[in-house]
């Protein structure tokens, strides 16, 4: 039973389109994240979402919007896709324990290619 | 600016040849340092968390250590199945407004030949 699952695994689309990536975790964690891994393999935080509090990395364009219907789901919607959005997007979750959220559990990633 | 640098970028070892990976960091306030393993086409998998200088953690052939400026991941007598990219990440006080987000290094790609 997959702990953090993302769909789709691969996504190929044209510039200007709108797309969504879905994420679900069955670990009972209270915090979920979206990370972006670019072509140079750098993993960078995009958003974290905890108990309906959204923390946005200031470098993320507002074309990206996370949506969380409930504690176990955090979807990523991207408007007006650009070539530079091509990357692997990872969803992750963790359980906050006092001051430390603990280790992250990652999904397998969604590879987005914008043509 | 908070920064994490890993070296070397790539490391090729023979099976049984022990070595170390380095993670140096420059951060305003370290709350924790994490090591992850990432296999091709997969998400990172958590290995260790270190919170204070002098702390050590071990798991099978891996041992992680932490000083005030860097962390080492020591690999003893590696096997081909240890081949992966090893990522170091730090948790920084109030990074991006959140206390839980991680800053990752670029990783060290380890290849172990039989």
């Amino acid at each position: 039973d997959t702990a953090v699952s993302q769909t789709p695994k691969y996504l190929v689309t044209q510039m200007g389109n709108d797309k969504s990536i879905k994420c679900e975790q069955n670990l009972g964690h209270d915090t979920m994240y979206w990370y972006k891994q670019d072509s140079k393999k750098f993993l960078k935080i995009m958003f974290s979402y905890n108990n309906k509090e959204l923390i946005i990395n200031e470098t993320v364009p507002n074309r990206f919007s996370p949506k969380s219907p409930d504690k176990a789901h955090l979807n990523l919607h991207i408007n007006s896709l650009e070539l530079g959005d091509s990357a692997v997007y990872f969803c992750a979750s963790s359980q906050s324990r006092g001051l430390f959220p603990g280790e992250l559990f990652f999904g397998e990633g969604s590879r987005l290619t914008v043509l | 600016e908070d920064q994490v640098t890993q070296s070397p970028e790539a490391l090729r070892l023979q099976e049984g040849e022990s070595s170390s990976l380095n993670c140096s960091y420059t951060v305003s306030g370290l709350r924790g340092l994490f090591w992850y393993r990432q296999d091709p086409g997969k998400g990172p998998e958590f290995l260790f968390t270190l919170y204070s200088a002098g702390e050590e953690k071990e798991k099978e052939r891996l041992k992680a250590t932490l000083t005030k400026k860097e962390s080492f991941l020591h690999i003893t007598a590696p096997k081909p199945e240890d081949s992966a990219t090893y990522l170091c990440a730090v948790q920084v006080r109030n990074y991006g407004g959140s206390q839980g987000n991680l800053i990752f290094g670029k990783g060290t790609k380890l290849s172990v030949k039989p």
Side-chain angles (χ1 to χ4, degrees):
Chain A
D1 207 18
T2 306
V4 180
S5 58
Q6 300 177 225
T7 54
K9 191 170 174 66
Y10 299 98
L11 190 53
V12 181
T13 189
Q14 299 288 329
M15 275 177 55
N17 285 351
D18 302 339
K19 290 294 178 187
S20 293
I21 306 172
K22 296 185 176 181
C23 178
E24 175 183 2
Q25 56 98 1
N26 62 8
L27 297 168
H29 288 165
D30 60 5
T31 307
M32 295 184 73
Y33 309 80
W34 278 107
Y35 276 82
K36 177 180 179 180
Q37 190 168 45
D38 61 24
S39 57
K40 296 181 180 179
K41 304 297 183 186
F42 239 141
L43 258 179
K44 194 167 184 180
I45 183 74
M46 299 177 71
F47 307 99
S48 64
Y49 203 89
N50 174 279
N51 291 329
K52 299 189 178 181
E53 182 188 11
L54 175 65
I55 306 295
I56 303 172
N57 186 318
E58 60 187 13
T59 66
V60 176
N62 58 15
R63 298 182 294 103
F64 290 78
S65 56
K67 298 188 191 306
S68 180
D70 55 57
K71 202 172 72 167
H73 296 83
L74 182 65
N75 304 324
L76 181 65
H77 190 74
I78 315 169
N79 290 325
S80 304
L81 279 158
E82 300 177 358
L83 293 176
D85 298 332
S86 296
V88 181
Y89 293 85
F90 287 98
C91 176
S93 71
S94 70
Q95 181 62 41
S96 56
R97 303 182 203 126
L99 294 177
F100 297 98
E103 65 264 26
L104 302 183
F105 290 77
F106 284 85
E108 294 207 335
S110 297
R111 180 177 292 276
L112 171 65
T113 303
V114 182
L115 303 175
Chain B
E1 183 184 350
D2 297 323
Q3 203 166 13
V4 177
T5 304
Q6 290 188 246
S7 61
E9 287 189 16
L11 181 62
R12 299 180 68 162
L13 299 174
Q14 287 296 125
E15 185 171 2
E17 180 187 1
S18 301
S19 188
S20 294
L21 282 54
N22 177 263
C23 170
S24 62
Y25 58 90
T26 308
V27 297
S28 51
L30 181 72
R31 302 185 71 223
L33 185 140
F34 297 75
W35 281 98
Y36 284 82
R37 168 188 171 133
Q38 186 173 21
D39 292 298
K42 303 287 186 181
E45 178 185 347
F46 170 78
L47 292 173
F48 304 108
T49 308
L50 301 165
Y51 291 118
S52 56
E55 190 175 357
E56 297 182 352
K57 295 272 179 75
E58 281 189 72
K59 181 179 179 180
E60 296 180 357
R61 295 176 292 282
L62 301 176
K63 179 180 175 181
T65 62
L66 180 66
T67 71
K68 288 189 178 179
K69 293 185 178 181
E70 58 191 349
S71 176
F72 291 94
L73 185 65
H74 307 277
I75 303 175
T76 302
K79 298 182 177 182
E81 53 261 42
D82 295 322
S83 297
T85 295
Y86 290 85
L87 299 169
C88 171
V90 297
Q91 187 180 40
V92 180
R93 301 179 202 279
N94 298 321
Y95 170 66
S98 168
Q99 294 184 354
N101 300 339
L102 302 183
I103 303 172
F104 278 85
K106 285 188 177 182
T108 293
K109 185 175 181 179
L110 174 67
S111 300
V112 182
K113 301 299 182 185

